[in-house]
Amino acid sequence: QNTDSTVLSLLQMNGEITSKDLEIATILRNRILFLARRLGELPHMPMAQKLALAEYLGKDREATGQDLDIMWVLIRSVAVASTIASLPKVSITKEILQPLYKLSPRCLFQAAEALTTAKRQIMGNTTPRLCLEKLFLILSETLAVS
């Protein structure tokens, strides 16, 4: 059972949650926070660290696809929130991604589009690591806060 379906089943169980379910939910939460931090750091991250991150995230094609989905949701959430006058209540990911709230929705939607393109390529036949290296270069420019 993959993480997405486990989280969905957690929501459907009416409180009957096993310790394994909580463990998987904690793993997912930690992954979301890890990826949110990397997105916020990406524009200022040294090239060697970007390449190391691409290598780390690009080891498993399916996991890479899930990571790209998470990053897409994070970027899209910031983009949508930045177009609404009243920002959503404070959350851990909002605090981590605070610099991105200064970007225009156009830049954020371009970043979301780059993530979608990368996922399509990785789910195709592109080497995940190389695709992530290219993606991180694109996102570094797109998400740079001036």
Side-chain angles (χ1 to χ4, degrees):
Q1 192 175 29
N2 71 27
T3 306
D4 293 348
S5 62
T6 301
V7 171
L8 182 58
S9 69
L10 280 173
L11 297 173
Q12 297 171 339
M13 282 189 215
N14 297 322
E16 296 179 23
I17 300 171
T18 67
S19 60
K20 180 68 173 168
D21 293 330
L22 289 175
E23 180 184 328
I24 291 171
T26 300
I27 291 168
L28 179 59
R29 177 187 178 277
N30 291 340
R31 193 65 177 184
I32 291 167
L33 294 176
F34 171 81
L35 293 169
R37 283 185 186 98
R38 298 304 81 80
L39 279 172
E41 297 167 351
L42 203 54
H44 311 290
M45 193 181 282
M47 181 60 73
Q49 194 174 349
K50 289 175 191 170
L51 296 175
L53 182 62
E55 181 179 2
Y56 172 71
L57 295 178
K59 291 182 181 189
D60 176 322
R61 189 176 300 273
E62 186 176 328
T64 301
Q66 291 174 350
D67 288 343
L68 291 174
D69 287 342
I70 291 169
M71 288 187 278
W72 185 88
V73 169
L74 290 168
I75 291 290
R76 187 180 177 285
S77 297
V78 173
V80 169
S82 68
T83 63
I84 299 171
S86 61
L87 291 176
K89 55 187 171 182
V90 176
S91 69
I92 295 171
T93 54
K94 183 176 184 267
E95 185 178 319
I96 292 169
L97 295 171
Q98 190 61 44
L100 301 185
Y101 281 86
K102 297 174 185 170
L103 294 171
S104 71
R106 181 175 170 262
C107 288
L108 293 164
F109 284 116
Q110 285 177 340
E113 185 178 334
L115 287 159
T116 300
T117 300
K119 180 166 183 194
R120 189 174 37 244
Q121 291 171 346
I122 288 171
M123 293 298 113
N125 202 20
T126 304
T127 304
R129 179 181 174 182
L130 295 176
C131 191
L132 288 173
E133 289 173 358
K134 178 182 174 186
L135 172 67
F136 293 159
L137 292 174
I138 292 168
L139 290 180
S140 291
E141 292 179 18
T142 307
L143 299 178
V145 179
S146 36

